[in-house]
Amino acid sequence: MAAVIGIAQMAAQRSATVVQDSIQSKILGTSRNYSVILPPGYKENPEQTYPVLYLLHGLYGTNKSWVEEGQLRDEADRMMKDWSAVPMIIVSPDAGGKDADKLQNGYFNLPGWRYEDFFFEEFMPEIEKKYRIKGDKNHRAIAGLSMGGGGTVVYAQKHPEKFCAAYPMSAWLCLNETQKKQRENGKEKSNISEKMWLLGESVDKNDCLEFVKNATPEQKDEMRSIRWYIDCGDDDFLLDDNLKFYQALRDAQIPAQLRVRDGAHKWYYWRQALSTCLPFASAAFTQK
């Protein structure tokens, strides 16, 4: 019986594993949860270091969204075992929660919620110290869905020295014209919570399309050092803005890939996206 248990434990160790942990933040004044996927063989190879993919959740999500709804562990385990993706560490932080009236949401700095500062000044350094991560641009990628897709683009645009690849899925990149007009005359504010209003304001201030259109030659060069992949469904309500973003990259002569697959703003679409996202990040990690 003991031998059977031992074999089962060895098999489990050779599969990708999920770690749930938290970090105490001085910047946010609270603790933040996060989920980590460790690659197969992580425990058995204590000297080996790995590239890292930061994977961001969407609005109302948490760090567990990719693990539970996105089936991240199973997908990552399968791809790393068949070598369609290189062994990597995948980190999903918590940028909010399901109750927007009680919990802040968003990857940008808001009044009382300096999340972007937290991510780069506290979270990333702590993660890359605690786990065996190759902490350099050539081995660090970022991806995310919806609100996290917008966070992916903004983080890569503003911190191009940190990432070699960016893979936004169904990204919330900006406010549309209707939303901007509603905000200008105050109509939208009466229908949503104060925190959701502030979140929309932060998205507007970090407009991804305007960033590219107004980028300096130096900023465009920095963005060219990142491998870009825009992924959005043909039935997604954010498709038009994703297409405009891709066109803005083309106009700025910033190389990017675009895929419009069959699907909507749903988890079945984002689960399928992992089968492209992880190999795409892998190719960026291994490029010369």
Side-chain angles (χ1 to χ4, degrees):
M1 184 66 174
V4 173
I5 294 174
I7 292 171
Q9 289 175 337
M10 288 177 64
Q13 291 172 346
R14 291 173 183 154
S15 296
T17 56
V18 181
V19 176
Q20 304 291 356
D21 208 339
S22 64
I23 177 175
Q24 186 65 35
S25 169
K26 293 182 180 179
I27 291 175
L28 298 177
T30 186
S31 64
R32 285 283 89 190
N33 296 325
Y34 62 89
S35 301
V36 177
I37 302 295
L38 298 175
Y42 183 86
K43 293 181 180 179
E44 291 75 31
N45 300 286
E47 302 302 318
Q48 185 172 345
T49 57
Y50 299 88
V52 61
L53 170 66
Y54 289 93
L55 189 58
L56 310 183
H57 65 75
L59 184 64
Y60 305 130
T62 71
N63 58 291
K64 294 184 178 181
S65 297
W66 271 110
V67 174
E68 295 177 351
E69 297 177 90
Q71 300 173 4
L72 176 60
R73 191 211 72 86
D74 292 343
E75 289 298 302
D77 184 65
R78 175 183 61 80
M79 283 184 275
M80 285 187 266
K81 282 181 176 177
D82 69 17
W83 287 97
S84 55
V86 300
M88 69 180 77
I89 293 173
I90 306 173
V91 182
S92 188
D94 186 357
K98 293 184 178 180
D99 192 338
D101 291 319
K102 296 180 181 179
L103 295 172
Q104 297 281 4
N105 260 286
Y107 296 96
F108 312 135
N109 288 341
L110 299 169
W113 183 251
R114 291 167 47 213
Y115 193 89
E116 185 176 342
D117 292 343
F118 156 73
F119 186 92
F120 287 98
E121 296 175 22
E122 292 182 328
F123 183 69
M124 184 182 289
E126 175 65 20
I127 287 293
E128 297 185 2
K129 178 181 178 182
K130 188 169 186 178
Y131 300 94
R132 299 197 307 274
I133 289 171
K134 296 178 180 179
D136 61 70
K137 172 184 172 72
N138 292 334
H139 297 93
R140 189 187 293 122
I142 188 165
L145 68 90
S146 193
M147 180 181 76
T152 294
V153 174
V154 171
Y155 281 11
Q157 286 177 331
K158 294 170 69 174
H159 305 272
E161 77 285 356
K162 298 290 187 183
F163 305 103
C164 65
Y167 192 110
M169 312 170 200
S170 311
W172 186 19
L173 300 165
C174 58
L175 299 184
N176 61 41
E177 292 304 315
T178 299
Q179 290 171 322
K180 290 181 179 180
K181 289 180 181 178
Q182 288 176 335
R183 293 179 73 84
E184 287 173 2
N185 59 32
K187 286 185 178 180
E188 187 187 57
K189 192 168 186 178
S190 61
N191 297 323
I192 61 175
S193 70
E194 180 68 19
K195 289 185 174 63
M196 286 298 293
W197 174 266
L198 291 173
L199 174 59
E201 186 174 86
S202 74
V203 171
D204 196 29
K205 288 180 178 178
N206 289 278
D207 189 307
C208 300
L209 279 72
E210 290 301 315
F211 185 97
V212 177
K213 292 176 182 178
N214 299 321
T216 64
E218 292 76 15
Q219 287 174 320
K220 291 177 183 178
D221 278 341
E222 290 173 337
M223 289 184 68
R224 293 185 188 108
S225 73
I226 299 168
R227 298 182 67 164
W228 294 90
Y229 196 116
I230 295 88
D231 188 346
C232 193
D234 58 358
D235 294 319
D236 198 303
F237 65 94
L238 294 174
L239 176 61
D240 288 345
D241 289 333
N242 278 260
L243 294 176
K244 291 176 183 177
F245 176 64
Y246 175 70
Q247 186 61 54
L249 292 176
R250 284 179 58 86
D251 292 343
Q253 297 183 329
I254 298 169
Q257 293 190 52
L258 168 70
R259 296 295 184 277
V260 178
R261 296 182 288 112
D262 181 29
H265 207 78
K266 301 289 184 180
W267 269 108
Y268 75 85
Y269 187 90
W270 303 318
R271 282 193 293 269
Q272 293 175 356
L274 287 174
S275 63
T276 305
C277 176
L278 269 60
F280 178 75
S282 297
F285 297 147
T286 57
Q287 68 180 345
K288 301 296 183 182

